[in-house]
Amino acid sequence: MINREIPYRPKLEGAFRERFYAAASTIDGDTTKEEIEKIAETEIDWVVNKCQYNLVQRRKYRAVWMLFRDLVRASWKAEFRYGILYVSNKSFQNTGNKSVDITNAKKAMRGWMSESRRERLVKQADFINKIEEENSKGKSIFSLFAGGEELADRIEKAHRKEIALNDAVKPYLQLVVEGEKDKFTGLKISDIWRYCRLTWSTPYETTPGRTMQYLIRDAAHPMHAIMGIASLENCTMQITDRDNKIGWNPSAFINEIKQKTSDKAKKELQELLKYIECGIEFINYSDLCTSKEIEHPTNDKIQYLF
């Protein structure tokens, strides 16, 4: 991990560009984190509550200062020199020890996310207080967490062979269904998952696409205590290493075909070419799909790939 300075050069225009550099020029090596945050908050307040023109640039200006403020909160240093605002982070240093470097990196990243997590917890304060209070059934979210002594007692009994290990701990998955309630507490299953997610050291972020959430519960506990949570989500788009491995990228697919010289591989490619060529809209579909050339693509059609 290399520690280096990065120029912070937002693509602003006109008066917004001039105002940004006027404010940034007041930041030097001795400017404290609190002073920088105050500058950022002043600029955010101006563009949100006072500026009334050029909506596009206003949005960019707000985003620029919010990002800069978050970097500073995450222990990034900032300094304006020779007309450029530089940001850097010294949390990452090469020690020559891979294990130590990874530990330091994780520690730094948790520190960066702590402020964001704190903000989300503050926003969720009403929800947290409500679910931690006893409801009409006299139950709260705390009823769904196993006590250390009770769990230790079950494990000790299994160790002494008084009960089977399968009877000491009985994990199972429960799919989170919107609107469904927990039969032991009357709490919404989705609220239970949401509360458990807020206990993580990383802030909760919603992701686009389909999501399947699960509670991991212990049937050996009288209230089927929560052991953990899990979530299955749509995969992230465009991860180069993964896409190359699977063969989703054209270049990766072609390289894979080049390495396969079997008749089966060629036959599969010929079938693929047939489907592709039949789908080309600007060629007459009926004429194309009845031609012998498309029914049985020649090796010449494969050669152009290589």
Side-chain angles (χ1 to χ4, degrees):
M1 304 173 190
I2 301 175
N3 174 44
R4 63 188 181 88
E5 291 186 322
I6 302 174
Y8 193 74
R9 294 171 171 168
K11 294 183 178 179
L12 298 169
E13 300 174 357
F16 293 89
R17 177 182 174 85
E18 293 177 5
R19 185 179 177 95
F20 171 80
Y21 281 103
S25 64
T26 63
I27 300 172
D28 57 31
D30 297 324
T31 308
T32 65
K33 174 182 176 181
E34 291 72 22
E35 290 172 335
I36 294 177
E37 281 208 41
K38 186 175 181 180
I39 294 172
E41 294 294 347
T42 298
E43 295 306 306
I44 293 172
D45 177 71
W46 171 78
V47 76
V48 171
N49 300 314
K50 299 175 184 178
C51 183
Q52 299 296 323
Y53 60 91
N54 199 332
L55 180 60
V56 174
Q57 285 294 306
R58 280 164 55 193
R59 288 174 175 172
K60 288 184 178 180
Y61 195 80
R62 177 175 175 270
V64 162
W65 280 105
M66 290 183 71
L67 173 60
F68 181 65
R69 179 197 62 188
D70 289 346
L71 288 173
V72 172
R73 287 178 176 177
S75 302
W76 285 68
K77 305 298 181 183
E79 183 177 1
F80 189 85
R81 299 195 312 272
Y82 308 112
I84 300 174
L85 179 62
Y86 291 96
V87 293
S88 62
N89 192 296
K90 297 182 179 180
S91 299
F92 290 158
Q93 297 286 351
N94 279 320
T95 65
N97 186 318
K98 185 176 180 180
S99 178
V100 172
D101 287 341
I102 292 175
T103 300
N104 290 341
K106 289 182 177 180
K107 182 179 178 180
M109 293 182 73
R110 282 194 292 267
W112 299 345
M113 292 185 287
S114 63
E115 182 67 24
S116 178
R117 178 175 180 270
R118 186 192 69 81
E119 289 179 357
R120 282 161 175 74
L121 288 175
V122 170
K123 291 179 180 179
Q124 300 287 338
D126 291 341
F127 165 74
I128 294 172
N129 292 331
K130 182 179 179 180
I131 202 170
E132 289 182 348
E133 293 175 353
E134 290 188 358
N135 58 16
S136 58
K137 288 189 174 185
K139 305 294 182 181
S140 75
I141 188 70
F142 298 126
S143 304
L144 296 177
F145 296 110
E149 292 183 0
E150 186 272 336
L151 178 58
D153 181 60
R154 280 189 274 144
I155 295 175
E156 282 294 327
K157 286 182 178 179
H159 183 70
R160 294 193 299 266
K161 300 187 183 301
E162 295 177 12
I163 60 174
L165 181 59
N166 290 342
D167 293 328
V169 180
K170 298 179 179 179
Y172 69 93
L173 291 177
Q174 181 180 19
L175 177 66
V176 175
V177 178
E178 191 62 36
E180 184 176 314
K181 292 186 177 181
D182 174 51
K183 65 181 181 180
F184 299 98
T185 62
L187 298 172
K188 286 185 177 180
I189 300 296
S190 57
D191 285 347
I192 297 173
W193 193 96
R194 176 182 169 192
Y195 179 89
C196 292
R197 179 60 180 85
L198 290 173
T199 65
W200 289 16
S201 60
T202 57
Y204 177 59
E205 301 285 355
T206 56
T207 55
R210 294 168 295 179
T211 300
M212 296 176 66
Q213 298 170 340
Y214 292 90
L215 296 176
I216 305 171
R217 307 192 68 161
D218 183 6
H221 185 270
M223 302 288 287
H224 287 212
I226 307 300
M227 300 178 67
I229 61 174
S231 178
L232 299 176
E233 301 176 349
N234 280 53
C235 63
T236 305
M237 298 290 288
Q238 296 180 339
I239 300 179
T240 303
D241 290 341
R242 177 202 65 193
D243 297 345
N244 286 339
K245 179 67 176 179
I246 296 175
W248 284 349
N249 291 335
S251 58
F253 174 75
I254 292 172
N255 289 334
E256 185 177 359
I257 293 298
K258 284 180 179 179
Q259 297 172 6
K260 294 182 178 179
T261 58
S262 68
D263 293 336
K264 181 180 178 181
K266 290 181 180 179
K267 184 177 179 180
E268 289 178 353
L269 182 56
Q270 288 172 349
E271 288 296 315
L272 178 60
L273 285 173
K274 182 176 75 173
Y275 294 134
I276 293 174
E277 293 183 345
C278 284
I280 298 176
E281 295 180 354
F282 61 84
I283 299 179
N284 185 282
Y285 182 85
S286 59
D287 292 343
L288 180 65
C289 289
T290 55
S291 71
K292 293 182 179 180
E293 185 179 14
I294 299 305
E295 291 177 1
H296 303 286
T298 64
N299 287 333
D300 291 339
K301 287 187 171 292
I302 300 177
Q303 290 301 320
Y304 83 94
L305 293 173
F306 312 124

